[in-house]
Amino acid sequence: GAGVSQSPSNKVTEKGKDVELRCDPISGHTALYWYRQSLGQGLEFLIYFQGNSAPDKSGLPSDRFSAERTGGSVSTLTIQRTQQEDSAVYLCASSLQQYTYEQYFGPGTRLTVT
Amino acid sequence: GNSVTQMEGPVTLSEEAFLTINCTYTATGYPSLFWYVQYPGEGLQLLLKATKADDKGSNKGFEATYRKETTSFHLEKGSVQVSDSAVYFCALRSGFGNEKLTFGTGTRLTIIP
C-alpha cells in the first residue's frame, strides 16, 4: 500500500518568507509526527498528533512554527518568517494507534533558506 | 529527560567484517528501543526493535539486545555487505502507545568491497 508522502520534496525560500510543508499519512493511521533532521541538531522531534487529542507541541523550537491536522489525516507544518537556521530536512511519520510501535517515515522535505 | 548516545562515525569496514555500533540510553521507566536505517537517497525505515529488557531484536542479519543493567542496545552484524552502507540511528520511546522518538546522532557506515 501507499506509504507516507510529503510535499514538496525540496523547497528553497528567502529569509523572512513563510513556508508550508505537507504530509499525507498512511491511511488509517491515527498518530502523526513531525521531526527535523539538521546537521547541527541531528534528528529532533517537533510535534505529535494523536486522534482528536490536543497535539504535543513540546518540540517546536519557536512560535514561528505551527502545525495542524485536518480531518485526522493530512497535516501541514507552517514556518513563518523563515530563518537560515530553519534549513533542514523535515520528516513526517505516522503510526497506528495502540497496536504497533512502529513509526513509518516519509521521504522528507528538504528546506533551504537563503 | 530522555537521551540516546550513539557511537560517533563515520565507520568504514571491509566486506564480511564484523560490525558493532554502540548505543546507550538514559530514560525514565521502561522504554522501547529501536534501530532505524537510512539508505542513500531513501527515507528512514525501522531495522529492528525491542520492547523490554533482555529482548533481542533482529532483522536482515542485524541484532541488538536490550540490556537494562548497562542501559545499552548495541547493533551487531556478523558479516557486513556493501549494501549495508547507510546511516544508522538508535532511538528510544518511553511509555506506552504512540509517543515521540528520541534519536541518537546517527552513525554513517561505509562498507568497502
Side-chain angles (χ1 to χ4, degrees), chain A residues 31 33 35 37 43 45 48 50 58 91 95-98 100-103 105-107, chain B residues 32 34 36 38 43-44 46 49 51 89 93 95-101 103-105:
Chain A
Y33 311 76
Y35 295 87
Q37 187 174 19
L43 252 166
F45 164 78
Y48 155 53
Q50 173 60 65
S58 60
L91 297 173
S95 69
L96 278 170
Q97 183 183 11
Q98 294 182 328
T100 177
Y101 292 105
E102 180 168 0
Q103 294 181 20
F105 283 80
Chain B
S32 296
F34 307 83
Y36 277 81
Q38 191 172 33
L44 268 177
L46 180 66
K49 67 183 181 185
T51 58
F89 294 89
R93 184 172 62 202
F96 296 97
N98 294 290
E99 297 179 9
K100 64 183 180 184
L101 290 166
F103 286 90
T105 53

Side-chain angles (χ1 to χ4, degrees), chain A residues 26-106:
Chain A
I26 293 172
S27 177
H29 282 194
T30 59
L32 186 147
Y33 311 76
W34 284 97
Y35 295 87
R36 180 169 70 172
Q37 187 174 19
S38 57
L39 282 177
Q41 302 296 326
L43 252 166
E44 53 180 344
F45 164 78
L46 297 176
I47 187 169
Y48 155 53
F49 296 88
Q50 173 60 65
N52 295 321
S53 302
D56 175 358
K57 303 179 182 180
S58 60
L60 294 178
S62 78
D63 58 8
R64 294 186 296 105
F65 287 72
S66 63
E68 63 177 18
R69 189 177 185 191
T70 54
S73 180
V74 171
S75 177
T76 302
L77 177 70
T78 301
I79 309 173
Q80 296 179 311
R81 306 181 302 283
T82 52
Q83 303 295 313
Q84 287 187 330
E85 61 262 28
D86 299 335
S87 296
V89 177
Y90 289 81
L91 297 173
C92 177
S94 70
S95 69
L96 278 170
Q97 183 183 11
Q98 294 182 328
Y99 302 111
T100 177
Y101 292 105
E102 180 168 0
Q103 294 181 20
Y104 294 84
F105 283 80

